């Protein structure tokens, strides 16, 4: 983490920001025991902002737990914001950018503390998350209501999901200048497509200077100095943990000119800035201020951050929350304790019951250590004991178990959670017909992968014949997976074949010993061309897994990257060719700019299918010129 001594010496030049994410106001509000937890923690955050004399509060999304919060939640939120953020204290931040472009649904199209009708002492800046995103008639978010009432400065809101353009809020305090970028929540799959299609663009403070560069692209020597005067801070609300290729936002896709990223959405607290060695920026994940699930990550100590920015340096001070309800989580693998507990003999359920009771009593003692003495901190703890089992004889009634601790815990109904361990057995290896594979590879006309698949099964059919599929259907499946990048091709074709085969068997109703003969009749009766045409006429939508490089995903040290892609659409000839993509990025940490120019010529592609002719249509080019000198 970068530090600064200047921040301690000259407070007039230091921007002080209270950072928090995922407050989830209104979570469990109807619970008689836990209903006030989210509001209590949020009030403590506002109190810390006042006591630490911050210049602004920065929220990373999910202020509310529900997209349409209850009247109770909205009322309490408004009450707290008015109590702690209104006042006569002057705000030292000067906005330099176009405010009408930055703040959505603001009455005067400006930051709230410049509204002559409001007395704002601590401005609150927030993006929206996946829980409080725009929805319903008018596509309004709960933050739109707070913005219109002048309580919150709502920024980073997308208005066009066909292309996302992120312009920073430029602000200054003394000698420090901050470029604040906001990316409110977008569905991870959609965001992945936008990035791959070069549809996410960052506008940097020195864009105008960059546009004045000469043809050599080097620009004025003062450009770098201008860039270094800005501290680039990004707030995002996306999946950070890898939950699949299209279910998270990789850090490496973010531009390298950033100094710090505040990451919302993930609830486990990792607030200490972590360096991304590849891109050179830091990532801080404050986590939620209230646990919304009884998981291991939520059991970590809750914090908010005090961010101090002095010119191009920063320091993040961790502030523990003292009003959060104590929470102890423990996971036990019962098979590992089988010998110790004697689960192989006698009543295993009774033995596990006694073991769990002792563990919970021990966890209650540990929960006492989390009591801070704060007058508003709830004293009844959250306890979650997760028991991993393989044999159901170890289970008992978890609800009845929880009733024993009805006056000692806040979550009586789910103190114990049974989770079955799945034994993953190694699947049998399929031995290939090596001789058939060799002949397929040596064939003169088998140069494409689907042709190799087709020829292999033709060569191997005498030894290992296919019982249900046609070899050309498997070849077609391979073609769609490899060439068209249709990630659902295998699932769609296999499912369709199974459905048709079942229909055929239901019509003929053969005896068990005659099923193989009926399946052979099925393959003879239904040609692969007919089945695949029937599948395509059903309108199965193709999901592409395009691996082309994006604006944000270009490698910092890669000078040129070229990828090829095919058109999308139903069948083979309905799509428009995407052509070749070229991306150039310069890996010098100078000016921070991310520009994109797209020239896309569209034309209809010719029929492309191995079911008929294998004639390929002409490919149309789409050129992308990317400059990222900041990496």
């Amino acid at each position: 983490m970068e530090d600064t001594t200047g921040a301690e010496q000259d407070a007039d030049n230091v921007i002080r920001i209270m950072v928090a994410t995922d407050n989830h106001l209104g979570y469990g509000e109807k619970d008689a025991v836990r209903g006030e937890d989210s509001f209590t923690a949020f009030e403590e955050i506002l109190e810390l902002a006042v006591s630490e004399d911050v210049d602004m509060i920065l929220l990373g999304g999910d202020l509310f737990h529900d997209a349409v919060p209850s009247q109770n939640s909205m009322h309490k939120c408004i009450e707290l914001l008015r109590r702690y953020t209104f006042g006569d204290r002057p705000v030292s931040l000067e906005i330099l950018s176009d405010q009408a472009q930055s703040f959505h649904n603001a009455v005067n199209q400006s930051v709230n503390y410049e509204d002559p009708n409001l007395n704002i002492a601590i401005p609150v800046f927030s993006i929206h998350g996946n829980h409080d995103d725009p929805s319903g008639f008018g596509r309004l978010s709960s933050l739109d209501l707070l913005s219109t009432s002048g309580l919150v400065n709502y920024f980073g809101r997308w208005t066009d999901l066909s292309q996302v353009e992120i312009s920073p809020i430029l602000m200054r305090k003394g000698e420090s200048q901050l470029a604040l970028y906001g990316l409110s929540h977008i569905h991870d799959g959609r965001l992945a497509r936008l990035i791959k299609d070069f549809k996410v663009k960052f506008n940097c403070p020195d864009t105008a200077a960059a546009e004045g560069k000469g043809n050599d692209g080097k620009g004025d020597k003062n450009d770098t100095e201008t860039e270094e005067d800005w501290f680039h801070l990004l707030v995002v609300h996306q999946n950070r943990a890898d939950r699949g290729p299209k279910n998270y936002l990789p850090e490496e896709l973010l531009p390298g000119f950033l100094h710090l990223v505040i990451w919302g959405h993930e609830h486990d607290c990792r607030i200490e800035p972590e360096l991304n060695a590849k891109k050179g920026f830091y990532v801080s994940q404050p986590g939620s201020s209230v646990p919304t699930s009884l998981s291991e990550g939520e059991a970590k100590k809750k914090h908010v951050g005090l961010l101090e920015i002095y010119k191009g340096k920063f320091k993040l001070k961790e502030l523990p929350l003292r009003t959060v309800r104590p929470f102890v989580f423990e996971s036990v693998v019962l098979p590992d304790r089988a010998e110790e507990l004697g689960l192989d003999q006698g009543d295993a359920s009774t033995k596990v019951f006694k073991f769990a009771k002792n563990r919970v009593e021990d966890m209650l003692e540990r929960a006492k250590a989390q009591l801070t003495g704060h007058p508003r901190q709830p004293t009844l703890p959250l306890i979650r004991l997760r028991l991993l089992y393989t044999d159901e004889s170890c289970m008992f009634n978890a609800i009845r178990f929880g009733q024993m601790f009805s006056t000692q815990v806040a979550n009586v109904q789910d103190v114990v959670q049974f989770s079955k361990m799945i034994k993953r057995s190694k699947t049998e290896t399929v031995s290939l017909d090596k001789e058939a594979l060799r002949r397929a590879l040596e064939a003169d006309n088998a140069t494409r992968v689907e042709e190799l698949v087709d020829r292999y099964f033709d060569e191997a059919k005498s030894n290992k014949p296919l019982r249900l599929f046609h070899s050309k259907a498997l070849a077609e499946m391979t073609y769609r997976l490899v060439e068209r990048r249709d990630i659902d091709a295998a699932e769609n074709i296999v499912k369709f074949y199974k459905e048709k085969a079942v229909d055929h068997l239901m019509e003929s109703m053969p005896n068990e010993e005659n099923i193989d003969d009926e399946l052979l009749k099925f393959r003879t009766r239904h040609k692969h061309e007919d089945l695949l045409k029937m599948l395509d006429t059903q309108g199965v939508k193709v999901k592409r897994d395009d691996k082309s490089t994006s604006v944000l995903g270009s490698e910092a040290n890669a000078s040129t990257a070229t990828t090829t892609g095919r058109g999308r659409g139903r069948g083979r000839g309905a799509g428009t060719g995407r052509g070749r993509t070229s991306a150039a990025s310069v890996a010098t940490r100078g000016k921070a700019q991310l520009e994109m120019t797209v020239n896309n010529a569209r034309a209809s592609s010719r029929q492309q299918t191995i079911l008929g002719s294998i004639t390929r249509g002409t490919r149309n080019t789409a050129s992308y010129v990317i400059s990222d000198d900041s990496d």
Side-chain angles (χ1 to χ4, degrees), residues 251-256 276-281 552 554 556 589 631:
E251 294 178 12
E252 290 73 17
L253 294 184
L254 297 176
N276 185 298
K278 187 174 183 180
K279 287 291 189 175
F281 54 69
L552 300 184
S554 57
R589 173 122 185 148
D631 284 355

Side-chain angles (χ1 to χ4, degrees), residues 391-412:
D391 188 354
E392 294 182 358
S393 63
C394 297
M395 299 179 65
F396 54 81
N397 191 317
I399 296 179
R400 185 177 300 172
F401 177 87
Q403 293 299 325
M404 294 191 304
F405 304 94
S406 59
T407 60
Q408 297 175 273
V409 300
N411 57 313
V412 178

Side-chain angles (χ1 to χ4, degrees), residues 322-390:
R322 302 176 63 240
T323 61
V324 176
R325 186 181 296 275
F327 180 18
V328 178
F329 178 93
E330 185 174 327
S331 182
V332 176
V333 181
L334 290 178
D336 294 344
R337 305 259 185 164
E339 184 176 352
E340 174 188 346
L341 300 177
L343 299 182
D344 296 335
Q345 301 175 356
D347 188 355
S349 177
T350 302
K351 294 178 180 179
V352 174
F353 185 94
K354 292 180 180 179
F355 169 78
K357 182 175 181 292
N358 293 332
R359 299 303 299 176
V360 169
E361 290 173 350
D362 178 67
M363 294 168 71
L364 287 170
E365 290 298 319
R366 282 186 280 155
K368 294 178 181 179
Q370 298 183 18
L371 294 174
T372 62
H374 195 285
R376 291 201 305 272
Q377 184 188 24
T379 56
L380 283 180
L382 295 170
I383 301 294
R384 166 53 63 87
L385 175 62
R386 184 175 64 185
L387 299 177
L388 302 173
Y389 70 95
T390 55

